[in-house]
Amino acid sequence: MSFIHLIGFGLKVGQLLLMLCCSFLSVISTNCFTNGVEMKPKSGFIGISTSTRKIWMKFLEILAGNSSKIHHHYYQYIGSRKVRKTWWRKLLILWVAFGTIVSLWFFWYLRSQAMEKRKETLANMCDERARMLQDQFNVSMNHVQAMSILISTFHHGKKPSAIDQETFAKYTERTAFERPLTSGVAYAVRVLHSEREQFEKQQGWTIKKMTPVNKDEYNPEELEPSPIQQEYAPVIFAQDTVAHVISLDMMSGKEDRENVLRARALGKGVLTAPLDLIKSNRLGVILTFAVYKRDLPSNATLEERIQATDGYLGGVFDIESLVEKLLQQLASKQTIYVNVFDTTNISNPISMYGTNVSDTGLHHVSPLNFGDPSRKHEMQCRFKQKQPWQILALSTSFGIFVITLLVGHIFHATVNRIAKVEDDYLEMSELKRRAEAADVAKSQFLANVSHEIRTPMNGVLGMLDMLMDTVLDVTQQDYVRTAQASGKALVSLINAVLDQAKIESGKLELEAVHFDLRAILDDVLSLFSGKSQEKGLELAVYISEKVPETLIGDPGRFRQIITNLMGNSIKFTEQGHIFVTVHLVEEVMESIGVETEPSLKDTLSGLPVADRNRSWDGFRTSSQMVGPCDNITLIVSVEDTGVGIPLEAQSRIFTPFMQVGPSISRIHGGTGIGLSISKCLVNLMNGEIGFTSIPKVGSTFTFTAVFSNGCSNPSEQQVNTWSKSEFRGMQAIIVDPRPVRAAVSRYHIQRLGMHVDIVPNLTNTFSMLSNGSKVVHMILIEEEVWDKDLSSSAVFVYKLRTVDHKIPWKLFLLANSIGGSRGISCPPVITKPLRVSMLAASLQRAMGGNKSTARNGEVPKLSLSKLLVGRKILVVDDNNVNLRVAAGALKKYGAEVVCADSGRKAISLLKPPHSFDACFMDIQMPEMDGFEATKTIREMEYNVNNLIQHGKLLLQDYANISNWHVPILAMTADVIQATHEQCLKSGMDGYVSKPFEANQLYQEVSRFFL
């Protein structure tokens, strides 16, 4: 089981590394493949073909899938917490045991290596000393043998002898360096018993017996005469160092006699056993060579050798002093003990040199060969000190053991950390699951609450709308309008709360559709025009000509941001203006650092404003905004001259449900979530939002938003083509002393295709007209210019009539409200805020054009009803009030409406063949909801269509319709994105949220009849 766990842990680590590699490779491959990079051959790289790219991507997918499977199986089979802790503990113990064994093995290995090296060092040192001792002994032995030949030649071969004691002593003394290991050399002559008396008389001394005595007690005169024997070997010549042996009989000593007899018999140099030397009483050996009268053949017999023997030459070796002398030559290497043994008798070896020392561990034996095969010698060596502690072995093994413990500790900590992370992951997964479940429950709760609130609100607003179509007096109409406004305010509040809930749950998604930015801002202006006129505020919009006519994005959410910002400005502004500007971000960023503080002359109403440049401090520059090349980044500013925001409240301005102060809610109302929602929507549009505000001066809010350019087709660049065709090429003059306000008026008039000149006053205008250099079709005078001096304005009108002109001029007054005393000669008034549809309608009416065109570009009610006249529409809802509201709204447009209160009835009514043109289906109904009913209807249609196509059903029996598909539109109070997606998945064709108005039902269903 532990082995399986070990494999699992390895797979886990490998899977992590694999995931990192796959992530790295996927990033590289994705960037390379998605951009279609193919390097040129000259650059040194080979282009990646499409097939290779596909194979590579397939390989990455398989690799990622397999790694996920391995990870899954690991957790499924061996990933339980209890099992992991068990095998992790066993693995840790196994690791510590393994590390301990490895450290001990390293200690043993390094110690054995050191021991072997120590043995090798001892062997080398011992062999070196034995070799030097043996070499020098051989040199000495060879010289002693050479001296035996010298004596045979010059002493026995000459009559009289050429050598005497003095000559021998001098010669041996001078040639002592050639015998480095000898203490002295002596020559003993062979004397028979019959020749003893004569020999003693000749030499003048008596042959003495060899008796070992102490050095201090030695006296040759006190030695005893040699006992009578067959022959004698008295020393006649001796080196000065051993001159005390002269007259001593070598045959009288046991070891010497045996040595002499063996040398005479063998004809080679022989060694004695270790013995105490005379006088010195030190241990030594004697090397003896026989001196013959003549040269003997190598195969001479023993008798022949005895007969030919004249004497014996011996070399004395003081072993202790000689070895000491040898070791002194190696004084720098005196780290070992040296013992020399005579091992002729292996059971009782004789120590020739050395001391008895305690065992220091290692010892080495080197054999010695002194030329005498009958004698065995050897040198034994030991270190003077015991083997020291193996620091390297100890430190290495201890280090390995410490590393093992550290790795074990790291492993233990890592395992605990992994276990903690996994526990935290499991806990977080559980919390995530609970949060998701709570989010689902919250979404479901919001959907239910929304449905439960919107359903009765739909009935209330619907019935109020139907009530407005009845005969009511003025007071009753006022009550109904008040009730409608309150109901719509409640619906707006519900929408805001739902949007905040979507944002918090991360389920708010943006659409990507084509839309006209200028048309949206015109609609927003229309929404607030009434309030601005009531307060006498200047409300204006200016869009840079560099902004494309058509963009791709979410127009509804963009409208919501603008509406929130403009609604706040309208709410908190009592005088002055509200000015909305839209530019490309590149235009504004290029002007940073160039513009100065705006003067009163540069504002829309002449009142001071907060510097808009400060509202985008901290925004990313255009070079920092990375995205596709066809992206358009807009920067939108909403400027007002309201009460401003106190400094202490500016930090919490974007906090949900937070207002500037408690008095604000009492005075102006509101929930405090509009700006929070706007900021979240801006973030979803990859933009930023900021503001600058000066108390009692005003505020400027600025945000950026990223859209795609939707003007791929040149025909999309045209806006309000029906208006442009009528006013194209006309010349207009705007009389306005304020450049900003004049630029706004020119922007709207130019949208109609007209050429515009700006003149600051009436005097300059009259001068331009009197010159006749230009053909002018209309003159638009700002209210401020007209009301400044009514008499001058009347004179200006009178002068215009006197000027001869081919085309009659049309004179208009641009005013914030219709009321006011402007004199008898006041021209037609065009009320602000200016919108292209309203401007076109006003000019058409003044110039006698199509008067049937509805104001603000709305389609006339008569044209609305024509699309639904005679259409049979089924409305399915379990709520009787909603049935009545929907039926009443559709009947206003001429539709024939049939009502059903359940999904089963809808299925029976929509079973082909039928005569319905469309169906509005409620989603939440008892027994069978709208999703299930729609799926059943689509299945019936699919089966009928298949049978008709295969000829199993007659086309005539099914109203000659080969493809049955009735448009089914959902009616529900749920406004969450999931409900909308589920509607489309179940086969529905559209979506209408409650509470709905009559025009909403028409707009949604009429698109199927165009």
Side-chain angles (χ1 to χ4, degrees):
M1 190 66 179
S2 298
F3 182 70
I4 297 177
H5 296 155
L6 183 61
I7 294 176
F9 181 76
L11 291 175
K12 184 176 181 181
V13 176
Q15 188 262 346
L16 177 61
L17 296 175
L18 191 62
M19 289 177 65
L20 292 175
C21 294
C22 290
S23 300
F24 177 73
L25 293 175
S26 63
V27 169
I28 295 177
S29 60
T30 302
N31 291 335
C32 180
F33 295 151
T34 54
N35 295 329
V37 176
E38 184 170 348
M39 305 302 293
K40 296 181 180 180
K42 67 179 182 180
S43 64
F45 297 94
I46 300 175
I48 302 175
S49 62
T50 303
S51 59
T52 305
R53 191 182 311 149
K54 291 181 179 179
I55 294 173
W56 179 250
M57 295 300 291
K58 185 66 176 178
F59 170 74
L60 289 178
E61 291 177 1
I62 295 174
L63 200 61
N66 289 337
S67 63
S68 300
K69 290 180 180 178
I70 293 173
H71 194 260
H72 171 73
H73 288 306
Y74 166 77
Y75 275 103
Q76 182 177 2
Y77 295 107
I78 58 176
S80 66
R81 182 178 178 183
K82 184 176 180 181
V83 173
R84 288 200 309 272
K85 284 190 174 181
T86 301
W87 72 260
W88 281 349
R89 190 177 296 108
K90 291 180 179 179
L91 186 60
L92 180 61
I93 295 173
L94 182 63
W95 167 256
V96 173
F98 173 75
T100 304
I101 294 173
V102 170
S103 64
L104 293 175
W105 180 85
F106 263 94
F107 176 77
W108 171 82
Y109 176 75
L110 293 177
R111 187 174 181 277
S112 62
Q113 290 293 314
M115 186 71 70
E116 290 296 328
K117 186 176 181 180
R118 187 175 173 86
K119 284 183 179 180
E120 183 179 354
T121 302
L122 180 62
N124 292 335
M125 295 175 69
C126 192
D127 290 343
E128 179 184 13
R129 285 158 175 73
R131 184 173 59 255
M132 292 178 64
L133 180 61
Q134 182 174 296
D135 291 343
Q136 293 188 23
F137 188 89
N138 290 336
V139 171
S140 299
M141 185 178 65
N142 292 335
H143 194 266
V144 171
Q145 185 178 7
M147 288 186 65
S148 67
I149 298 173
L150 177 68
I151 291 173
S152 175
T153 303
F154 293 99
H155 177 65
H156 294 287
K158 297 287 185 178
K159 296 295 184 177
S161 172
I163 300 175
D164 56 10
Q165 169 59 29
E166 183 180 358
T167 303
F168 185 85
K170 289 182 179 180
Y171 176 77
T172 53
E173 188 68 28
R174 291 179 179 180
T175 58
F177 67 93
E178 295 183 355
R179 304 180 304 279
L181 298 185
T182 59
S183 301
V185 182
Y187 176 68
V189 68
R190 182 188 181 196
V191 178
L192 298 178
H193 179 68
S194 59
E195 299 173 349
R196 176 177 179 176
E197 184 178 356
Q198 183 181 356
F199 174 79
E200 289 178 345
K201 288 180 181 181
Q202 184 181 355
Q203 296 294 328
W205 40 260
T206 305
I207 300 175
K208 303 292 190 304
K209 179 181 179 182
M210 184 174 289
T211 303
V213 294
N214 293 331
K215 178 180 180 181
D216 296 335
E217 299 175 355
Y218 181 76
N219 185 359
E221 300 296 333
E222 296 178 358
L223 297 178
E224 298 178 1
S226 177
I228 297 173
Q229 50 190 358
Q230 188 176 0
E231 61 178 271
Y232 308 91
V235 178
I236 60 174
F237 302 139
Q239 190 175 345
D240 290 342
T241 57
V242 290
H244 57 276
V245 300
I246 295 176
S247 75
L248 294 181
D249 182 10
M250 296 295 106
M251 287 290 194
S252 61
K254 181 181 179 181
E255 291 84 358
D256 293 322
R257 181 181 178 85
E258 292 178 356
N259 200 42
V260 167
L261 294 178
R262 281 197 306 117
R264 184 176 63 183
L266 297 175
K268 298 179 180 180
V270 295
L271 289 172
T272 64
L275 49 85
D276 293 329
L277 299 178
I278 299 175
K279 191 177 181 180
S280 66
N281 202 29
R282 299 183 66 175
L283 196 65
V285 294
I286 299 175
L287 173 65
T288 304
F289 282 95
V291 179
Y292 297 102
K293 297 177 182 179
R294 60 185 184 276
D295 293 335
L296 293 176
S298 60
N299 57 352
T301 62
L302 178 61
E303 289 297 330
E304 290 176 345
R305 292 182 181 279
I306 294 174
Q307 293 297 326
T309 300
D310 279 337
Y312 312 96
L313 183 66
V316 181
F317 293 86
D318 187 347
I319 298 299
E320 292 184 8
S321 62
L322 294 180
V323 175
E324 286 289 346
K325 184 178 180 182
L326 173 65
L327 294 180
Q328 286 177 3
Q329 298 179 16
L330 302 171
S332 60
K333 299 183 180 179
Q334 293 298 318
T335 58
I336 60 174
Y337 291 112
V338 176
N339 291 73
V340 180
F341 290 92
D342 185 325
T343 57
T344 303
N345 185 2
I346 192 64
S347 61
N348 186 23
I350 302 173
S351 176
M352 300 173 64
Y353 174 82
T355 58
N356 295 325
V357 295
S358 59
D359 187 11
T360 57
L362 297 176
H363 77 280
H364 181 75
V365 178
S366 297
L368 294 173
N369 183 9
F370 290 151
D372 187 353
S374 61
R375 309 299 301 183
K376 304 293 182 183
H377 302 86
E378 65 181 27
M379 180 181 288
Q380 296 184 4
C381 303
R382 286 180 175 84
F383 283 107
K384 289 185 178 180
Q385 296 178 351
K386 291 186 177 181
Q387 184 176 2
W389 289 97
Q390 298 298 320
I391 304 300
L392 178 62
L394 287 173
S395 60
T396 303
S397 59
F398 181 74
I400 292 175
F401 183 71
V402 170
I403 290 174
T404 301
L405 294 180
L406 289 176
V407 172
H409 175 71
I410 294 172
F411 175 79
H412 179 69
T414 303
V415 165
N416 289 339
R417 179 61 180 169
I418 291 174
K420 186 178 183 304
V421 170
E422 289 180 348
D423 292 341
D424 293 343
Y425 171 76
L426 294 176
E427 183 179 357
M428 292 301 295
S429 299
E430 179 63 21
L431 293 176
K432 180 175 178 291
R433 186 189 63 79
R434 294 179 182 178
E436 290 175 347
D439 185 60
V440 172
K442 178 181 177 181
S443 299
Q444 189 63 38
F445 171 76
L446 289 174
N448 293 335
V449 170
S450 173
H451 182 273
E452 295 302 324
I453 295 178
R454 286 172 178 271
T455 298
M457 285 303 302
N458 182 62
V460 171
L461 294 177
M463 287 302 177
L464 289 174
D465 189 59
M466 294 174 67
L467 183 60
M468 284 294 293
D469 292 335
T470 62
V471 179
L472 301 174
D473 58 27
V474 176
T475 303
Q476 291 171 335
Q477 289 181 5
D478 182 60
Y479 291 164
V480 173
R481 291 193 184 97
T482 302
Q484 283 182 322
S486 299
K488 291 180 180 179
L490 179 58
V491 172
S492 299
L493 176 60
I494 294 172
N495 291 337
V497 173
L498 288 176
D499 283 343
Q500 184 66 30
K502 291 180 188 177
I503 291 170
E504 291 177 355
S505 62
K507 292 187 176 180
L508 188 63
E509 299 178 359
L510 299 181
E511 294 181 338
V513 297
H514 289 75
F515 69 94
D516 185 351
L517 176 66
R518 291 167 173 80
I520 286 179
L521 288 177
D522 283 350
D523 293 341
V524 176
L525 286 176
S526 300
L527 180 64
F528 294 105
S529 61
K531 292 183 180 180
S532 65
Q533 291 172 4
E534 290 176 4
K535 289 187 172 185
L537 301 176
E538 185 90 23
L539 182 61
V541 169
Y542 176 81
I543 301 178
S544 171
E545 60 183 8
K546 294 183 179 180
V547 177
E549 298 290 346
T550 305
L551 300 174
I552 300 176
D554 193 328
R557 295 304 179 182
F558 182 79
R559 184 200 308 268
Q560 185 175 354
I561 298 171
I562 295 293
T563 302
N564 284 337
L565 296 179
M566 290 185 66
N568 288 338
S569 296
I570 289 285
K571 185 187 302 183
F572 297 108
T573 304
E574 298 299 330
Q575 63 175 348
H577 68 268
I578 298 167
F579 187 27
V580 181
T581 59
V582 182
H583 294 83
L584 295 181
V585 72
E586 293 83 0
E587 300 179 70
V588 176
M589 292 303 176
E590 290 173 0
S591 65
I592 292 180
V594 178
E595 296 184 5
T596 58
E597 290 289 332
S599 63
L600 299 183
K601 199 172 183 180
D602 294 333
T603 64
L604 187 66
S605 62
L607 295 178
V609 296
D611 184 11
R612 69 176 60 187
N613 288 349
R614 296 180 182 176
S615 65
W616 58 66
D617 286 346
F619 280 16
R620 293 171 296 174
T621 61
S622 57
S623 61
Q624 294 173 327
M625 298 179 182
V626 180
C629 58
D630 62 338
N631 276 0
I632 301 295
T633 304
L634 301 183
I635 184 166
V636 184
S637 294
V638 180
E639 173 187 284
D640 66 58
T641 56
V643 296
I645 304 173
L647 296 178
E648 65 274 8
Q650 292 184 6
S651 60
R652 62 176 186 268
I653 199 68
F654 292 110
T655 304
F657 303 104
M658 293 293 292
Q659 292 189 335
V660 173
S663 61
I664 296 297
S665 178
R666 292 194 299 267
I667 297 173
H668 300 282
T671 59
I673 60 175
L675 288 177
S676 172
I677 294 174
S678 298
K679 182 176 182 179
C680 294
L681 293 176
V682 168
N683 291 336
L684 289 176
M685 294 179 182
N686 297 321
E688 298 170 283
I689 188 170
F691 72 95
T692 180
S693 182
I694 302 175
K696 298 182 181 180
V697 174
S699 304
T700 300
F701 281 80
T702 301
F703 71 92
T704 59
V706 180
F707 300 99
S708 298
N709 192 348
C711 295
S712 58
N713 190 344
S715 62
E716 297 177 4
Q717 299 281 359
Q718 305 300 324
V719 179
N720 296 328
T721 306
W722 60 276
S723 299
K724 277 193 173 183
S725 62
E726 186 173 353
F727 300 102
R728 183 187 299 275
M730 289 187 178
Q731 183 69 37
I733 295 177
I734 297 176
V735 184
D736 193 342
R738 297 189 183 281
V740 175
R741 187 171 56 192
V744 173
S745 301
R746 180 173 59 183
Y747 155 71
H748 288 287
I749 296 172
Q750 283 180 340
R751 291 174 64 190
L752 297 175
M754 301 173 67
H755 302 286
V756 181
D757 290 326
I758 298 176
V759 181
N761 52 56
L762 294 177
T763 303
N764 292 349
T765 304
F766 182 76
S767 299
M768 179 183 295
L769 294 174
S770 61
N771 290 336
S773 58
K774 289 185 178 181
V775 178
V776 178
H777 297 83
M778 59 188 69
I779 303 169
L780 296 95
I781 304 173
E782 181 59 38
E783 181 183 18
E784 178 185 347
V785 177
W786 184 269
D787 293 342
K788 187 176 183 180
D789 188 351
L790 294 178
S791 60
S792 298
S793 301
V795 172
F796 173 75
V797 174
Y798 174 76
K799 287 182 179 180
L800 287 181
R801 295 173 183 173
T802 62
V803 177
D804 184 17
H805 52 277
K806 300 178 182 180
I807 301 176
W809 297 313
K810 295 294 181 182
L811 196 61
F812 298 95
L813 185 66
L814 300 178
N816 290 327
S817 60
I818 299 177
S821 175
R822 299 186 176 93
I824 302 175
S825 58
C826 178
V829 177
I830 299 177
T831 57
K832 298 181 183 179
L834 297 178
R835 289 95 69 198
V836 69
S837 58
M838 178 273 299
L839 188 60
S842 299
L843 295 178
Q844 285 176 345
R845 286 194 301 269
M847 300 179 70
N850 183 12
K851 294 189 174 65
S852 65
T853 303
R855 185 165 59 92
N856 296 334
E858 294 180 357
V859 181
K861 197 167 184 179
L862 182 61
S863 62
L864 282 174
S865 61
K866 290 181 180 179
L867 289 175
L868 298 185
V869 172
R871 301 290 183 178
K872 189 174 182 179
I873 299 176
L874 177 64
V875 179
V876 185
D877 199 317
D878 62 319
N879 190 293
N880 190 37
V881 176
N882 289 337
L883 284 176
R884 293 178 61 187
V885 171
L890 293 172
K891 287 178 180 179
K892 288 198 314 184
Y893 300 114
E896 180 185 351
V897 181
V898 177
C899 297
D901 58 1
S902 68
R904 297 190 183 278
K905 289 183 179 180
I907 293 173
S908 62
L909 291 173
L910 294 179
K911 182 178 181 181
H914 59 77
S915 58
F916 290 98
D917 297 294
C919 173
F920 285 93
M921 178 86 67
D922 186 28
I923 293 179
Q924 294 185 358
M925 293 185 294
E927 295 185 7
M928 179 180 290
D929 59 21
F931 297 135
E932 186 177 354
T934 302
K935 289 180 180 178
T936 304
I937 293 170
R938 294 306 183 207
E939 289 177 0
M940 290 192 306
E941 291 175 343
Y942 177 78
N943 294 332
V944 169
N945 292 337
N946 279 341
L947 294 175
I948 292 176
Q949 290 178 3
H950 291 85
K952 296 182 179 179
L953 295 178
L954 296 178
L955 191 60
Q956 295 80 1
D957 296 338
Y958 287 85
N960 291 323
I961 298 175
S962 59
N963 186 19
W964 283 89
H965 183 88
V966 61
I968 300 178
L969 305 172
M971 288 193 311
T972 181
D974 297 341
V975 291
I976 59 176
Q977 183 69 21
T979 304
H980 190 190
E981 294 175 355
Q982 192 174 359
C983 290
L984 299 178
K985 289 181 180 179
S986 63
M988 294 183 176
D989 301 285
Y991 184 93
V992 177
S993 61
K994 298 176 184 178
F996 49 76
E997 296 181 358
N999 63 334
Q1000 286 182 276
L1001 295 178
Y1002 165 76
Q1003 290 176 0
E1004 190 65 29
V1005 74
S1006 61
R1007 59 191 177 93
F1008 297 100
F1009 306 133
L1010 294 175

